[in-house]
Amino acid sequence: MKIRVGFGFDVHQLRDNHPFVLGGLTLPHTKGAFGHSDADVLLHVICDALLGAANLRDIGFQFPDTDSALKGVDSKLLLKKTIELVSEKGYSVSNIDCTICLQKPKVNPFIPEMKAIIAGILETDIDAISIKATTTEELGYVGREEGVSAYCVCLISG
């Protein structure tokens, strides 16, 4: 059996009156993450961690922001395609651990639903998905609500 670890980091700017998509959900907030796709920073870091673990480069390589067909794409589709690529290499998810960094909104009430969405896409047990959230105590771009970032580490085996 082979096991591999992957790591992901992503950041998106926040804009007023823009939808805030996180973990496959649209959260109620006055600001939202902006990007070429739906800017779901959580799903993006999971994609990056999985792609890195399987030595498949990164999300920007697999799903470039120069591809007009991906403009506004639902990141759940990107995660589905990512796990298909990882599976083609003979790997499956052992576990995923993520941390979201944002000042507002509070995401703790939404974490169980996010975990269920992600586990469903990855076809893995919900217990294999860990999502945590933290603020930066009002410091930096996260604290000023100018952006949101996320980190992810994953373990795949095959």
Side-chain angles (χ1 to χ4, degrees), residues 7 17 19 26 33 35-36 41-42 49 57 67 70 85 93 95 105 110 117 120 122 127 135 137-138 143 146 148 151:
F7 174 77
N17 304 312
T26 300
H36 184 71
V41 68
L42 180 59
R57 305 219 18 207
D67 184 346
L70 297 175
L85 292 168
V93 173
N95 78 301
F110 303 101
I117 289 167
L122 299 179
D127 193 51
T135 70
E137 301 297 330
E138 299 182 2
E146 296 170 356
V148 56
Y151 301 86

Side-chain angles (χ1 to χ4, degrees), residues 35-76:
H36 184 71
S37 67
D38 64 4
D40 189 327
V41 68
L42 180 59
L43 297 189
H44 292 182
V45 294
I46 295 171
C47 288
D48 259 349
L50 291 168
L51 290 166
N55 197 22
L56 291 166
R57 305 219 18 207
D58 60 33
I59 193 170
F61 178 81
Q62 295 293 338
F63 313 107
D65 64 6
T66 55
D67 184 346
S68 60
L70 297 175
K71 180 71 176 157
V73 71
D74 184 332
S75 293
K76 292 187 297 286

Side-chain angles (χ1 to χ4, degrees), residues 25 30 35 53 61 78 82 84 142 156 158:
L25 300 174
T30 59
F61 178 81
L78 302 181
T82 295
E84 289 169 1
V142 170
I156 60 174

Side-chain angles (χ1 to χ4, degrees), residues 118-133:
I118 294 164
I121 294 167
L122 299 179
E123 297 180 7
T124 193
D125 188 77
I126 198 166
D127 193 51
I129 311 297
S130 171
I131 301 171
K132 304 171 304 296

